[in-house]
Amino acid sequence: MKKLALHWKIIIGMVLGIIWALLSSTMGWSSFTINWIDPFGTIFINLLKLIAVPLVLFSIISGVANIGDPKSLGRMGGKTLLIYLITTVLAITIGLLLVNTFKPGKLIDEQSRIDNRISYEIWASNQGYEIKDGVNYLQDPAFFERAREISDLTKNELEEASVSDKLETATKQKETTPLQPLVDIVPENFFFSLTNNSLMLQIIFFAIFFGVCLLFIPTSKSKPVLDFVDGTMEVFLKMVDLVMQAAPFFVFALLAGVVSKMAGDDIGKVIEIFKGLSWYTLTVLGGLLLMIFVIYPLVLKTFVRNIPYKGFFKAMSPAQTLAFSTSSSAATLPVTMECVENNLGVDKKISSFVLPIGATVNMDGTSLYQAIAVVFLAQMHMIDLTIGQQLIVVITATLASIGSAAVPSAGLVMLIIVLEAVGLNPAWIAIIFPVDRILDMFRTVVNVTGDATVSSIIANGEGMMDYQEAKDPSDTFEVK
């Protein structure tokens, strides 16, 4: 086992975690798994988040201050944001193409879709929304009795415990001025920002501002500060090395806990959950896998010709497997930086600037999922969204993905905003909620793979990349 690459150890831990969870469900041990094994998975994520915030702070300061030329910083920042924006729009477009081609929402039985449609019309009438396609089932005498039965269910729909908190969060985000996102970037208390994972953009703003200011003061004054920043960053990178040695066990605990919470002591619950949402799940998975294994490699090959297909995935496999198990771009960020720098040969000046920004604003997997989810929910409620309404989905999902926190299931909050933008019921997120955690794992892999792709493109364009194919990814995390 000692000579086995780290990513294979993590994959083995993931598989064993799922097997244990299913076994514990069958044997009635779920309570034991949740109480005594799952906490180690929580500890793992907490450790990575503990390292991520200060690492982002010091790495961006170091990257910006070491660029040397402020003009290079502006050029690099513009290119980074432009490429991230292009990949996000591309991801949403692919999502819409897939959901409109396979129409997973229309594969549900007809009676269920009619009930859903009646429920939608009752909601739209109560909220003052116009019926999308002009068809009105509530005016058809054949559906009067069914409408009366469904009406009581609709009244209780917004009281779902798993949905109400997200509705409240989305409402707060809607009731802001157009420039509020810009205001939110600038912290009034930097130390408060450091203690709040949802304020990563404020930390990035401060780090860039601090690093730029270091460029404009004499070297004799800035050098001691830079030496401190670089030394501190190395300490946090060593923390990553140490934590990753125990990653296979932590991932085992994490996956065992996730599946046990879904299944309880009834393994049939997991089967039923995925049976009902199988077509939606397959469509989202198809889009996410297409991004990971086709789109990103094609984009990378277009701009960086010396990284082979297998070489890229070999280099990024530790970060990708960790992203899958944690469902958090922020928690995976320290490992992503290690893989990009040590395995792809991207200069630290590039990775420390591009990757933290990507972990915050680049949510290609989340954007693709939102596009599919909105159209799927419309289809299963017998609503045909027009091209114009789907364009609104593209624009809203793009903007929402930028504000999506790099933490598990944050995309659900953003999905509420996208649904409301096209006049659909935000409480419908409860329908896809059961499979969100599993899909969130794959979405995070897409996000991390996209970050690595963009950083490689930027580094190659700046002449700051030295890829060595023979390097073994497992060497990145060996404690000397």
Side-chain angles (χ1 to χ4, degrees):
M1 284 289 286
K2 189 174 181 182
K3 297 199 174 181
L4 198 63
L6 180 70
H7 62 283
W8 287 116
K9 293 179 184 178
I10 292 176
I11 290 172
I12 290 171
M14 288 166 51
V15 172
L16 290 177
I18 294 171
I19 292 173
W20 171 268
L22 296 177
L23 179 64
S24 69
S25 293
T26 305
M27 303 296 291
W29 301 341
S30 289
S31 179
F32 172 83
T33 301
I34 293 170
N35 291 331
W36 295 97
I37 296 179
D38 180 59
F40 289 102
T42 305
I43 289 171
F44 181 47
I45 293 180
N46 288 346
L47 280 171
L48 289 172
K49 287 182 178 178
L50 168 72
I51 298 168
V53 173
L55 184 61
V56 166
L57 174 65
F58 290 111
S59 64
I60 290 181
I61 292 174
S62 176
V64 171
N66 284 312
I67 285 175
D69 181 10
K71 292 182 180 177
S72 298
L73 176 64
R75 183 182 69 252
M76 191 190 306
K79 286 167 62 177
T80 299
L81 292 175
L82 178 62
I83 297 174
Y84 278 142
L85 181 63
I86 291 172
T87 59
T88 299
V89 173
L90 182 62
I92 296 170
T93 304
I94 289 172
L96 289 176
L97 286 173
L98 287 174
V99 76
N100 282 291
T101 300
F102 296 104
K103 298 180 172 57
K106 294 186 178 181
L107 298 175
I108 298 169
D109 68 275
E110 187 74 11
Q111 185 56 52
S112 294
R113 291 183 70 216
I114 291 173
D115 288 352
N116 291 338
R117 173 67 189 214
I118 294 171
S119 177
Y120 157 70
E121 291 185 9
I122 293 171
W123 172 84
S125 176
N126 292 337
Q127 297 295 319
Y129 282 102
E130 183 182 349
I131 301 298
K132 290 295 173 189
D133 46 21
V135 180
N136 198 324
Y137 279 65
L138 291 179
Q139 294 179 357
D140 189 333
F143 297 107
F144 281 169
E145 185 59 35
R146 187 60 184 151
R148 190 177 298 112
E149 294 172 8
I150 293 174
S151 181
D152 292 333
L153 297 175
T154 306
K155 289 175 184 176
N156 296 325
E157 195 172 25
L158 294 179
E159 295 176 8
E160 279 280 338
S162 60
V163 176
S164 58
D165 57 332
K166 294 175 176 60
L167 285 170
E168 184 179 349
T169 303
T171 301
K172 289 178 180 177
Q173 289 194 234
K174 274 205 321 172
E175 295 173 353
T176 57
T177 61
L179 292 180
Q180 189 62 40
L182 190 61
V183 174
D184 291 339
I185 291 175
V186 183
E188 60 178 280
N189 185 334
F190 172 65
F191 295 99
F192 174 75
S193 303
L194 282 174
T195 62
N196 194 324
N197 285 331
S198 65
L199 300 177
M200 187 68 81
L201 272 176
Q202 294 188 355
I203 297 171
I204 291 175
F205 171 83
F206 175 85
I208 293 174
F209 191 31
F210 193 96
V212 168
C213 290
L214 283 174
L215 291 173
F216 289 100
I217 64 175
T219 304
S220 59
K221 302 284 187 184
S222 63
K223 190 176 184 306
V225 179
L226 273 175
D227 288 342
F228 168 76
V229 169
D230 290 338
T232 306
M233 188 169 66
E234 288 301 319
V235 173
F236 283 108
L237 289 174
K238 179 53 67 177
M239 287 184 181
V240 177
D241 288 345
L242 294 173
V243 170
M244 288 305 294
Q245 300 311 303
F249 166 72
F250 281 134
V251 166
F252 161 80
L254 192 67
L255 266 293
V258 168
V259 178
S260 290
K261 287 174 183 175
M262 290 177 62
D265 287 331
D266 182 7
I267 195 172
K269 285 185 180 179
V270 175
I271 297 171
E272 287 303 315
I273 285 169
F274 287 103
K275 191 193 298 182
L277 294 169
S278 57
W279 291 111
Y280 161 74
T281 303
L282 288 173
T283 306
V284 175
L285 279 180
L288 296 175
L289 294 175
L290 189 65
M291 289 295 296
I292 295 170
F293 294 108
V294 179
I295 302 302
Y296 287 135
L298 281 175
V299 172
L300 187 65
K301 199 66 179 175
T302 302
F303 296 97
V304 188
R305 298 186 179 278
N306 65 323
I307 300 181
Y309 184 87
K310 290 183 179 178
F312 175 73
F313 288 103
K314 184 179 179 182
M316 290 307 302
S317 54
Q320 290 174 320
T321 50
L322 187 63
F324 182 83
S325 56
T326 63
S327 297
S328 172
S329 302
T332 311
L333 180 59
V335 181
T336 307
M337 294 178 72
E338 288 268 11
C339 290
V340 167
E341 292 168 11
N342 293 5
N343 302 336
L344 291 178
V346 173
D347 194 286
K348 282 188 178 182
K349 296 177 184 178
I350 301 294
S351 63
S352 60
F353 176 76
V354 176
L355 290 176
I357 293 175
T360 307
V361 304
N362 179 45
M363 297 288 167
D364 291 351
T366 303
S367 302
L368 182 145
Y369 133 83
Q370 287 174 345
I372 292 177
V374 170
V375 179
F376 164 76
L377 290 170
Q379 288 172 350
M380 69 179 295
H381 287 79
M382 302 185 79
I383 304 166
D384 291 321
L385 294 177
T386 64
I387 297 297
Q389 289 163 341
Q390 293 194 28
L391 284 175
I392 293 174
V393 171
V394 173
I395 296 168
T396 312
T398 301
L399 296 175
S401 70
I402 295 173
S404 183
V407 295
S409 295
L412 277 175
V413 176
M414 297 300 117
L415 179 58
I416 292 171
I417 296 172
V418 180
L419 282 168
E420 290 189 326
V422 289
L424 300 179
N425 190 347
W428 290 349
I429 65 167
I431 296 170
I432 60 174
F433 193 82
V435 295
D436 182 73
R437 176 64 175 175
I438 298 297
L439 293 178
D440 197 19
M441 294 173 169
F442 287 95
R443 297 201 301 262
T444 309
V445 177
V446 172
N447 297 340
V448 168
T449 306
D451 294 345
T453 301
V454 173
S455 65
S456 300
I457 293 170
I458 299 294
N460 188 69
E462 297 291 327
M464 302 172 73
M465 186 172 188
D466 182 24
Y467 172 72
Q468 302 292 330
E469 185 176 357
K471 187 172 286 187
D472 188 340
S474 61
D475 292 342
T476 304
F477 304 101
E478 290 296 329
V479 179
K480 306 299 181 186

